Amino acid sequence: MSENLDKSNINEEGKSKSNDSEQGLEDAVEGSDEALQKIKSGSPSTQRVQRPHSSPPRFVTVEELLETAKGVTNMTIAHEIVINGDFRIKPVELPEDSLEKKVKDIVHKAFWDCLSVQLCEDPPTYDRAIKLVGEIKETLLSFLLPGHTRLRNQITEVLDLDLIKQEAENGALDISKLAEFIIGMMGTLCAPVRDEEVKKLKDIKEIVPLFRAIFSVLDLMKVDMANFAVSSIRPHLMQQSVEYERKQFQEFLEKHPNSLDFVTQWLEEAADDLMNQKYRNALPAVGEASGSGDSPGPDPVAVQNYAYLKLLKWDHLHRPFPETVLMDHSRFQEFQLQLEQLTVLGAVLLVTFSMAAPGISSRADFAEKLKMIVKILLTDMHLPSFHLEDALTTVGEKVCLEVSSCLSLCGFSPLTTDKEAVLKGQIQAMASPDNPIRRIVDSRILTFLETYLVSSHQKPLPTAPGGLGPVQTELEEVAINFVRLVNYNKMVFSPYYDAILIRNVCWVTWSEVI
């Protein structure tokens, strides 16, 4: 099947570009598979998914556009939290020369200047300072968990605004003492990464700069708390996120009925490829009778798996991406780039170890060293300015040097001039996507990924195909992320996929194909 993927009407010129344990791979594959069965068992009937084959355009109001945009934004955030284990909320940093930053700096400066003027009056005016203390109090309280009763009582008692106002009116307010309590409480509640920032607050003696620095650190603590909340709820978000994304997409589909057109085309192409392949394989030999003309169409699960593999060979410049995988467009592009780099890397190592003496090709330390050298030289392969031909020339020179050096250390004769020329030529030839060795490696990599998709619930987990042992670690890393992403997408959108395939594809018989 994987070899046929290369021959289908996919533009192969689209570029396709760390180390998890086997147990991690099992968890990613098996866990996603179990969750998929659970979601699908509770999913609405595919007959309820409405998708007109085509529909005339209609006018929409600005309010509808804004509401749709908000729904898509919320769906994207929920999706990102579940899919991206490294998802983090980051503080907003405005560009230095932007108008927004200039306006913000001017407004903030005016505010802090006014506060400084008030505190320098005789007697001082504490109106603005007390409002700031109130904001700080609410922020500190927001960091507390339900069980933090003692801390809550301390904050409420010390930062009692009514009492502070009375002290200010009577000239008995000690603002420095309040600041000291606030800094101490921040040190108690902050994440360890903020200890240094909180410690620096104790060195600031002037009130206005101190308040300004306190609010700056509190903003960072808010971000830390938000990220802590995200990491805490992520394990419980899967089921809710699946239902939420499907609900949001259904609402979007009702407003834009043709929002599954590219998905339909994508699945139909995958089904056609599989049917044509199956038909070719089923052709009788000369003199044999033809098979039955009413064989069923391809299995819907096989069609979906094959369709996901087609995304790894997608022509992103000239073909619209299917709507249901659009939020993960960048991830599939990243997979594609990683796989292209792994294909070249695997092909280079394959021809190198084929020419090297068995004594060194079996040495794990040499194989790892050579792999790292080639990986470094191919690091920028995804950049437009990267020239693969020039890089492979350098790779050939370096590989020959390392192989000869290792041969000498192991007591073998170094590569002859003729063998070096042949090896360099074979490595240089990897620049062409049509190179036979590169195509073989590419086909084996796709087979490796396909095997995980079709046998995700089985044990033992598949091993890397022959010749790809040196890059098995990298392949497993891609497989973990690819399978996790695919299975989550199935959990959300499988009712739509099933409805499309049942209606448009799977009722087709072989007699109709013929």
Side-chain angles (χ1 to χ4, degrees), residues 139-313:
T139 302
L140 292 176
L141 290 174
S142 70
F143 294 152
L144 300 180
L145 298 177
H148 290 162
T149 304
R150 183 178 61 83
L151 294 177
R152 189 181 307 275
N153 291 337
Q154 285 184 8
I155 294 173
T156 304
E157 179 182 346
V158 176
L159 301 183
D160 184 342
L161 297 186
D162 292 334
L163 179 60
I164 292 174
K165 289 178 182 178
Q166 293 179 9
E167 291 178 347
E169 292 172 357
N170 297 321
L173 179 60
D174 188 348
I175 200 77
S176 299
K177 185 176 180 181
L178 291 178
E180 183 179 348
F181 171 81
I182 291 170
I183 294 172
M185 190 58 64
M186 290 172 63
T188 301
L189 298 176
C190 73
V193 70
R194 303 300 171 199
D195 286 342
E196 193 62 31
E197 282 96 332
V198 174
K199 184 178 179 181
K200 291 179 180 178
L201 295 177
K202 299 178 181 179
D203 298 330
I204 303 176
K205 303 305 179 182
E206 297 184 19
I207 296 300
V208 174
L210 177 58
F211 268 100
R212 194 165 188 170
I214 285 174
F215 274 95
S216 178
V217 177
L218 285 175
D219 287 340
L220 295 177
M221 291 174 62
K222 290 178 184 177
V223 174
D224 295 337
M225 179 58 68
N227 286 323
F228 171 75
V230 168
S231 63
S232 299
I233 65 175
R234 180 180 284 114
H236 311 288
L237 276 182
M238 180 68 75
Q239 175 72 29
Q240 291 83 350
S241 179
V242 167
E243 295 174 353
Y244 177 75
E245 285 191 43
R246 188 185 298 151
K247 177 177 178 291
Q248 290 291 318
F249 185 80
Q250 182 62 37
E251 293 177 357
F252 182 82
L253 187 62
E254 290 170 357
K255 296 177 182 178
H256 308 275
N258 57 350
S259 296
L260 282 173
D261 288 352
F262 294 131
V263 172
T264 301
Q265 181 183 358
W266 168 51
L267 293 175
E268 288 177 347
E269 286 181 3
D272 289 343
D273 289 346
L274 287 180
M275 292 168 70
N276 291 334
Q277 180 188 5
K278 184 175 181 181
Y279 173 64
R280 285 196 300 270
N281 294 339
L283 285 177
V286 177
E288 293 181 2
S290 299
S292 174
D294 56 354
S295 300
D299 175 54
V301 175
V303 172
Q304 292 180 37
N305 288 340
Y306 189 74
Y308 286 113
L309 290 175
K310 286 172 70 73
L311 297 178
L312 301 177
K313 293 289 184 180

Side-chain angles (χ1 to χ4, degrees), residues 309-338:
L309 290 175
K310 286 172 70 73
L311 297 178
L312 301 177
K313 293 289 184 180
W314 201 260
D315 181 5
H316 299 277
L317 293 178
H318 302 99
R319 295 196 62 187
F321 216 57
E323 296 91 342
T324 53
V325 288
L326 199 55
M327 286 192 294
D328 294 308
H329 189 186
S330 62
R331 290 188 175 90
F332 281 103
Q333 282 183 303
E334 181 68 18
F335 289 146
Q336 193 168 341
L337 295 173
Q338 289 176 348

